Structure formats: structure tokens, C-alpha cells
Amino acid sequence: MHLRGQDGDVPWWKPTWRDAWRYLGWRCVLFLPAAGVLCLFAALVFEPGMGQFVWILGPKLVIMILCLPFLAAGYALKRGVQARSEPFCIHCGYELSGLPDHYRCPECGLPFDFQAIEEYRRDPDWFIQRYKAQHKTTVEQTPFDTGPARPGRRRRSRDGT
């Protein structure tokens, strides 16, 4: 199956920030410490004496607290595809419930099959890289001459094969 989009590349569906936020669920509390640290930095503008709290917390701890939301967002975006339980088009994200296997997506018109959807759901980044690698290399279809076969000149290996 060789698909090409408008710009010469195949479009792939990735979860939006809205999908990722919905998938985060209770993990959105990881944004609260970072919001507190950002409020502390905003307070430093108006009250420079509050800088001692930054030194009490420690610069490394502040950096780790600020990194928590980014790690949670990355996790949600990576796992957002796996969170979908219904079959969906891997090119546009359209839900394909009720459609037969090996059909075309009614939304984008690209063909799909359920086995490819399951592979995409397991790890979308790996699937996309594998697809691009398979379609980047060209397979030469012309036969080539290997030379004359010489029966009897084959050396026998020590293990008998």
C-alpha cells in the first residue's frame, strides 16, 4: 500500500493537545507545582525579597518541578493513540466503527486495514519510521546473472551441511 499526500508525504494522525489533556485525567495535578513556581517567579518581579524562597527550594528542585508538566504532556501525547479503544483512521483520526476491513476512510479517502491500525496503536512513531524506511528504498525488479553453477566443486563443511 503506497500512499502519498499533497506534499509528497503521507499524513499521520497524532492526538491533539485537547486529546492529550483528556487522556491526562488526574495527572493534570502535576501542573500545580509548576504553576506555583511560576507564580513565585512572578512575585519576584514585584517583591525581590522573595528570592530567598527560590534558594530555599534549590535551583535543581525548581527545574525538576518545572519539567514535570512537560514530561506529563509528552507521556499523554505518546499514549494518547493507545488510549483509543475503537478503530480509527491512522491518517486523519476518524472513527471507523462499523466499517469493513480493507476499505477507504470516509473522511480522508485513504485505504485502511485493522491490522495496520493495531500496529500503529502499539507505537505510532515506530510505525511511521518503518513505513518511511520501507517506501524510501527502491527494490530493483530486474534479474541479474549469478554466473554458471558448478556442481561438484562445493566444499563440504565440517558439520555435514
Side-chain angles (χ1 to χ4, degrees):
M1 175 166 61
H2 190 67
L3 308 170
R4 290 286 175 196
Q6 298 292 342
D7 58 352
D9 198 16
V10 178
W12 300 104
W13 178 80
K14 293 284 190 153
T16 62
W17 283 103
R18 183 177 169 206
D19 297 329
W21 188 260
R22 196 171 345 139
Y23 177 69
L24 266 177
W26 66 268
R27 294 177 197 93
C28 65
V29 299
L30 296 174
F31 286 81
L32 294 177
V37 168
L38 291 177
C39 289
L40 180 64
F41 284 139
L44 285 174
V45 173
F46 299 110
E47 189 67 40
M50 296 200 52
Q52 64 187 350
F53 290 115
V54 175
W55 291 113
I56 290 171
L57 288 174
K60 291 180 184 177
L61 182 63
V62 169
I63 291 171
M64 287 186 344
I65 289 173
L66 290 176
C67 289
L68 277 176
F70 293 108
L71 292 172
Y75 174 80
L77 286 173
K78 183 160 179 73
R79 301 294 182 219
V81 175
Q82 295 172 348
R84 292 187 71 171
S85 59
E86 77 283 347
F88 62 93
C89 178
I90 60 177
H91 304 290
C92 68
Y94 185 78
E95 185 177 335
L96 302 171
S97 297
L99 292 175
D101 196 8
H102 301 291
Y103 202 67
R104 288 193 171 271
C105 173
E107 184 73 18
C108 65
L110 294 173
F112 68 88
D113 63 59
F114 293 136
Q115 181 183 5
I117 293 170
E118 286 304 315
E119 288 179 19
Y120 185 79
R121 183 178 285 146
R122 270 188 243 129
D123 191 358
D125 295 325
W126 178 81
F127 185 89
I128 293 169
Q129 287 177 354
R130 184 184 69 169
Y131 181 87
K132 287 180 180 178
Q134 284 176 343
H135 291 88
K136 188 187 306 183
T137 59
T138 58
V139 178
E140 188 66 34
Q141 297 293 330
T142 58
F144 60 94
D145 186 23
T146 60
R150 290 187 261 171
R153 301 232 26 198
R154 184 173 169 224
R155 289 196 300 180
R156 185 166 231 184
S157 66
R158 291 182 183 178
D159 62 356
T161 57

